[in-house]
Amino acid sequence: MGQPGKRGPERPLGRAELGAEPGERATLVQFSSAFCQPCRATRRILAEVAGMVEGVTHIEIDAEERLDLVRELGIEKTPTVLVLDSAGRTVRRATGMPRKADVIAALGAAV
């Protein structure tokens, strides 16, 4: 998975921005769109990893419903995955369907 956001440091994201309670140790945030085929596979991969690692939550955000957040974070494609640490800071960011091993490795930077 990629490096922190290319637009410089982003503000921490919490329940208000994510629309759900973040994970205790880390949060996998997925930006998706309705007709995105890779988003479905990404959803399965992230949910599986979140289920394997205690304290990690997967939150999926519909990019079309949250254009404000999409613009603020510079999300240009779906799926885009952000790995947030326990404070809600982005520690990794990637576009496209991730490999399960890469998601697990990216979590290492967050927990």
Side-chain angles (χ1 to χ4, degrees), residues 1-6 90-94:
M1 294 200 52
Q3 294 302 313
K6 61 181 178 243
T90 302
V91 295
R92 291 283 184 272
R93 175 185 182 126

Side-chain angles (χ1 to χ4, degrees), residues 53-68:
V53 184
E54 190 175 332
V56 174
T57 300
H58 168 229
I59 297 173
E60 187 171 4
I61 296 174
D62 183 324
E64 294 169 27
E65 290 180 7
R66 293 300 312 277
L67 286 175
D68 57 332

Side-chain angles (χ1 to χ4, degrees), residues 3-30:
Q3 294 302 313
K6 61 181 178 243
R7 297 167 37 124
E10 297 166 353
R11 69 180 169 96
L13 302 175
R15 188 180 205 321
E17 294 82 12
L18 302 174
E21 198 61 43
E24 188 178 303
R25 296 176 66 204
T27 307
L28 301 170
V29 180
Q30 174 185 349

Side-chain angles (χ1 to χ4, degrees), residues 66-83:
R66 293 300 312 277
L67 286 175
D68 57 332
L69 192 57
V70 164
R71 288 184 183 116
E72 178 184 337
L73 299 175
I75 306 294
E76 297 173 359
K77 298 179 183 177
T78 57
T80 291
V81 177
L82 307 179
V83 179

